[in-house]
Amino acid sequence: MSVRSALKTIMKAIRVTEFGGPQVLKLETNVPIPEPAQDEVLIKVEAAGINPVDTYIRSGTYAVKPTLPYTPGKDVAGVVEDVGAKVQHLKKGDRVYSMATTSGGYAEYCTAASSGTKILHSNLSFQEGAGIGIPYYTAYRALVIIGGARPGQTVLVHGASGAVGLACVQIARSRGLRVLGTAGSQAGIELISRNGCDVAFSHREEGYTDKIMEATASTGPDIIIEMLANVNLEKDLSMITKKGRIVVVGNRGSVEITPRLAMQKECIVTGMVLFNASQDELNEIDAAVSAGMRDGWVKPHIGKMYTLEQAPVAHDDVINNKGAQGRLIFKIC
């Protein structure tokens, strides 16, 4: 029998009944609270993260489409309300974050796979907890596992002021790399500098790539983490050091490049999708993020908070921002 009180059986949640623009995000007030399966937990959601991929899924353009109707959102933080029969490592009352929701995170309650639900350190608020999952796991896998980052190397985070970019900056700093970053506004430049960028640049400034090359004594960065490849990949190829590595984390279109640049640099250009991660990789990231919370360098910056009623605005903002500044979240409770 569920340990959850039988007094509350319905909740508020965003529901999508058709694919389309932000206007298809509808707040409903009579959605049944889901029951956790044997290997799941039920979370009372305090905050939910807003990821660009949420908008691709909502629009119907993502490779994998959910069955309609559905509730969006993978990243949440909150308190365990109930646990399935096979769950051993979590209990009612635990403060947790998860990027493995099974019923959707834009809601007052959600179910989540227990394997993807982790203890939230007391150093962090629920709002910060909702900023950990996909951004930090993506950043670590891109920088350390795919990028092969080592202490003493130089990394350029090309688009560092968004949620994944800031996570990259913090992780690189913690691992002894020299960190260069770009942002699209003065506020963004100040933000990435506060979070650990050794040198920050405006990617809206003419000739900024020349300044990056000057900052590396004309040798170029060892690693580039690229957030918008359709705009920047040719620039990355011109900047990367010989035998360096460019890791593409974000892209919103096609791009024409000069392959001879890759030939001359003998560099590697590789893509990265978090959900290709093996269990061993996820275990490594879990351990690193847990240590980062304990030691204080995992510190998501919350750029803006929304209510569920503002879901259409939030989805527009996460895609059409004029200079990303940290994590966008829903404050649920």
PDB file of all heavy atoms in Angstrom, residues 74-91:
ATOM      1  N   LYS A  74      12.184  16.591 -17.778  1.00  0.00           N
ATOM      2  CA  LYS A  74      12.986  15.489 -17.251  1.00  0.00           C
ATOM      3  C   LYS A  74      13.691  15.844 -15.943  1.00  0.00           C
ATOM      4  O   LYS A  74      13.974  14.967 -15.141  1.00  0.00           O
ATOM      5  CB  LYS A  74      14.046  15.069 -18.289  1.00  0.00           C
ATOM      6  CG  LYS A  74      13.511  14.176 -19.394  1.00  0.00           C
ATOM      7  CD  LYS A  74      13.110  12.814 -18.857  1.00  0.00           C
ATOM      8  CE  LYS A  74      12.657  11.859 -19.936  1.00  0.00           C
ATOM      9  NZ  LYS A  74      12.177  10.572 -19.392  1.00  0.00           N
ATOM     10  N   ASP A  75      14.023  17.119 -15.737  1.00  0.00           N
ATOM     11  CA  ASP A  75      14.814  17.536 -14.581  1.00  0.00           C
ATOM     12  C   ASP A  75      13.923  18.087 -13.482  1.00  0.00           C
ATOM     13  O   ASP A  75      13.171  19.046 -13.708  1.00  0.00           O
ATOM     14  CB  ASP A  75      15.803  18.642 -14.980  1.00  0.00           C
ATOM     15  CG  ASP A  75      17.074  18.117 -15.600  1.00  0.00           C
ATOM     16  OD1 ASP A  75      17.465  16.982 -15.269  1.00  0.00           O
ATOM     17  OD2 ASP A  75      17.684  18.840 -16.405  1.00  0.00           O
ATOM     18  N   VAL A  76      14.035  17.520 -12.285  1.00  0.00           N
ATOM     19  CA  VAL A  76      13.279  18.034 -11.139  1.00  0.00           C
ATOM     20  C   VAL A  76      14.128  17.961  -9.883  1.00  0.00           C
ATOM     21  O   VAL A  76      15.141  17.255  -9.825  1.00  0.00           O
ATOM     22  CB  VAL A  76      11.971  17.240 -10.893  1.00  0.00           C
ATOM     23  CG1 VAL A  76      11.036  17.327 -12.077  1.00  0.00           C
ATOM     24  CG2 VAL A  76      12.270  15.785 -10.523  1.00  0.00           C
ATOM     25  N   ALA A  77      13.672  18.679  -8.870  1.00  0.00           N
ATOM     26  CA  ALA A  77      14.197  18.525  -7.511  1.00  0.00           C
ATOM     27  C   ALA A  77      13.015  18.631  -6.563  1.00  0.00           C
ATOM     28  O   ALA A  77      12.061  19.374  -6.814  1.00  0.00           O
ATOM     29  CB  ALA A  77      15.236  19.591  -7.194  1.00  0.00           C
ATOM     30  N   GLY A  78      13.086  17.850  -5.477  1.00  0.00           N
ATOM     31  CA  GLY A  78      11.983  17.868  -4.530  1.00  0.00           C
ATOM     32  C   GLY A  78      12.202  16.856  -3.422  1.00  0.00           C
ATOM     33  O   GLY A  78      13.341  16.517  -3.087  1.00  0.00           O
ATOM     34  N   VAL A  79      11.102  16.375  -2.868  1.00  0.00           N
ATOM     35  CA  VAL A  79      11.140  15.472  -1.719  1.00  0.00           C
ATOM     36  C   VAL A  79      10.451  14.165  -2.099  1.00  0.00           C
ATOM     37  O   VAL A  79       9.363  14.175  -2.690  1.00  0.00           O
ATOM     38  CB  VAL A  79      10.434  16.102  -0.505  1.00  0.00           C
ATOM     39  CG1 VAL A  79      10.405  15.140   0.665  1.00  0.00           C
ATOM     40  CG2 VAL A  79      11.133  17.405  -0.108  1.00  0.00           C
ATOM     41  N   VAL A  80      11.087  13.046  -1.752  1.00  0.00           N
ATOM     42  CA  VAL A  80      10.488  11.741  -2.009  1.00  0.00           C
ATOM     43  C   VAL A  80       9.214  11.601  -1.179  1.00  0.00           C
ATOM     44  O   VAL A  80       9.230  11.740   0.051  1.00  0.00           O
ATOM     45  CB  VAL A  80      11.467  10.599  -1.682  1.00  0.00           C
ATOM     46  CG1 VAL A  80      10.759   9.242  -1.802  1.00  0.00           C
ATOM     47  CG2 VAL A  80      12.672  10.648  -2.603  1.00  0.00           C
ATOM     48  N   GLU A  81       8.110  11.340  -1.878  1.00  0.00           N
ATOM     49  CA  GLU A  81       6.810  11.186  -1.234  1.00  0.00           C
ATOM     50  C   GLU A  81       6.437   9.715  -1.056  1.00  0.00           C
ATOM     51  O   GLU A  81       5.719   9.350  -0.125  1.00  0.00           O
ATOM     52  CB  GLU A  81       5.747  11.901  -2.083  1.00  0.00           C
ATOM     53  CG  GLU A  81       4.347  11.872  -1.534  1.00  0.00           C
ATOM     54  CD  GLU A  81       4.128  12.834  -0.375  1.00  0.00           C
ATOM     55  OE1 GLU A  81       5.038  13.623  -0.080  1.00  0.00           O
ATOM     56  OE2 GLU A  81       3.036  12.781   0.235  1.00  0.00           O
ATOM     57  N   ASP A  82       6.943   8.863  -1.952  1.00  0.00           N
ATOM     58  CA  ASP A  82       6.598   7.446  -1.928  1.00  0.00           C
ATOM     59  C   ASP A  82       7.674   6.692  -2.700  1.00  0.00           C
ATOM     60  O   ASP A  82       8.352   7.277  -3.571  1.00  0.00           O
ATOM     61  CB  ASP A  82       5.225   7.235  -2.575  1.00  0.00           C
ATOM     62  CG  ASP A  82       4.598   5.898  -2.235  1.00  0.00           C
ATOM     63  OD1 ASP A  82       5.243   5.101  -1.511  1.00  0.00           O
ATOM     64  OD2 ASP A  82       3.464   5.645  -2.685  1.00  0.00           O
ATOM     65  N   VAL A  83       7.836   5.409  -2.390  1.00  0.00           N
ATOM     66  CA  VAL A  83       8.842   4.591  -3.081  1.00  0.00           C
ATOM     67  C   VAL A  83       8.230   3.272  -3.502  1.00  0.00           C
ATOM     68  O   VAL A  83       7.342   2.725  -2.830  1.00  0.00           O
ATOM     69  CB  VAL A  83      10.080   4.326  -2.189  1.00  0.00           C
ATOM     70  CG1 VAL A  83      10.773   5.620  -1.819  1.00  0.00           C
ATOM     71  CG2 VAL A  83       9.696   3.546  -0.942  1.00  0.00           C
ATOM     72  N   GLY A  84       8.713   2.751  -4.652  1.00  0.00           N
ATOM     73  CA  GLY A  84       8.280   1.445  -5.108  1.00  0.00           C
ATOM     74  C   GLY A  84       8.884   0.332  -4.270  1.00  0.00           C
ATOM     75  O   GLY A  84       9.865   0.532  -3.537  1.00  0.00           O
ATOM     76  N   ALA A  85       8.317  -0.847  -4.426  1.00  0.00           N
ATOM     77  CA  ALA A  85       8.680  -1.977  -3.566  1.00  0.00           C
ATOM     78  C   ALA A  85      10.135  -2.390  -3.697  1.00  0.00           C
ATOM     79  O   ALA A  85      10.721  -2.933  -2.750  1.00  0.00           O
ATOM     80  CB  ALA A  85       7.765  -3.165  -3.880  1.00  0.00           C
ATOM     81  N   LYS A  86      10.744  -2.157  -4.850  1.00  0.00           N
ATOM     82  CA  LYS A  86      12.115  -2.603  -5.073  1.00  0.00           C
ATOM     83  C   LYS A  86      13.168  -1.521  -4.795  1.00  0.00           C
ATOM     84  O   LYS A  86      14.360  -1.769  -4.958  1.00  0.00           O
ATOM     85  CB  LYS A  86      12.274  -3.105  -6.505  1.00  0.00           C
ATOM     86  CG  LYS A  86      11.501  -4.382  -6.798  1.00  0.00           C
ATOM     87  CD  LYS A  86      11.781  -4.879  -8.216  1.00  0.00           C
ATOM     88  CE  LYS A  86      11.041  -6.184  -8.500  1.00  0.00           C
ATOM     89  NZ  LYS A  86      11.294  -6.678  -9.882  1.00  0.00           N
ATOM     90  N   VAL A  87      12.734  -0.355  -4.387  1.00  0.00           N
ATOM     91  CA  VAL A  87      13.667   0.752  -4.158  1.00  0.00           C
ATOM     92  C   VAL A  87      14.305   0.606  -2.779  1.00  0.00           C
ATOM     93  O   VAL A  87      13.595   0.528  -1.767  1.00  0.00           O
ATOM     94  CB  VAL A  87      12.964   2.109  -4.284  1.00  0.00           C
ATOM     95  CG1 VAL A  87      13.927   3.250  -3.977  1.00  0.00           C
ATOM     96  CG2 VAL A  87      12.366   2.267  -5.678  1.00  0.00           C
ATOM     97  N   GLN A  88      15.638   0.579  -2.746  1.00  0.00           N
ATOM     98  CA  GLN A  88      16.351   0.356  -1.493  1.00  0.00           C
ATOM     99  C   GLN A  88      17.116   1.587  -0.991  1.00  0.00           C
ATOM    100  O   GLN A  88      17.265   1.770   0.216  1.00  0.00           O
ATOM    101  CB  GLN A  88      17.357  -0.798  -1.664  1.00  0.00           C
ATOM    102  CG  GLN A  88      16.715  -2.123  -2.063  1.00  0.00           C
ATOM    103  CD  GLN A  88      15.815  -2.686  -0.982  1.00  0.00           C
ATOM    104  OE1 GLN A  88      16.124  -2.610   0.201  1.00  0.00           O
ATOM    105  NE2 GLN A  88      14.683  -3.263  -1.391  1.00  0.00           N
ATOM    106  N   HIS A  89      17.610   2.418  -1.925  1.00  0.00           N
ATOM    107  CA  HIS A  89      18.549   3.480  -1.541  1.00  0.00           C
ATOM    108  C   HIS A  89      17.881   4.817  -1.263  1.00  0.00           C
ATOM    109  O   HIS A  89      18.564   5.777  -0.897  1.00  0.00           O
ATOM    110  CB  HIS A  89      19.618   3.647  -2.620  1.00  0.00           C
ATOM    111  CG  HIS A  89      19.103   4.202  -3.917  1.00  0.00           C
ATOM    112  ND1 HIS A  89      18.313   3.470  -4.771  1.00  0.00           N
ATOM    113  CD2 HIS A  89      19.265   5.424  -4.498  1.00  0.00           C
ATOM    114  CE1 HIS A  89      18.016   4.214  -5.827  1.00  0.00           C
ATOM    115  NE2 HIS A  89      18.572   5.400  -5.692  1.00  0.00           N
ATOM    116  N   LEU A  90      16.559   4.895  -1.425  1.00  0.00           N
ATOM    117  CA  LEU A  90      15.843   6.145  -1.162  1.00  0.00           C
ATOM    118  C   LEU A  90      14.648   5.848  -0.269  1.00  0.00           C
ATOM    119  O   LEU A  90      14.102   4.742  -0.275  1.00  0.00           O
ATOM    120  CB  LEU A  90      15.365   6.774  -2.480  1.00  0.00           C
ATOM    121  CG  LEU A  90      16.459   7.235  -3.450  1.00  0.00           C
ATOM    122  CD1 LEU A  90      15.859   7.581  -4.802  1.00  0.00           C
ATOM    123  CD2 LEU A  90      17.226   8.422  -2.888  1.00  0.00           C
ATOM    124  N   LYS A  91      14.220   6.889   0.471  1.00  0.00           N
ATOM    125  CA  LYS A  91      13.074   6.713   1.371  1.00  0.00           C
ATOM    126  C   LYS A  91      12.242   7.994   1.396  1.00  0.00           C
ATOM    127  O   LYS A  91      12.700   9.070   0.960  1.00  0.00           O
ATOM    128  CB  LYS A  91      13.556   6.383   2.781  1.00  0.00           C
ATOM    129  CG  LYS A  91      14.353   7.482   3.454  1.00  0.00           C
ATOM    130  CD  LYS A  91      14.872   7.043   4.814  1.00  0.00           C
ATOM    131  CE  LYS A  91      15.567   8.179   5.554  1.00  0.00           C
ATOM    132  NZ  LYS A  91      16.707   8.735   4.791  1.00  0.00           N
TER     133      LYS A  91
END
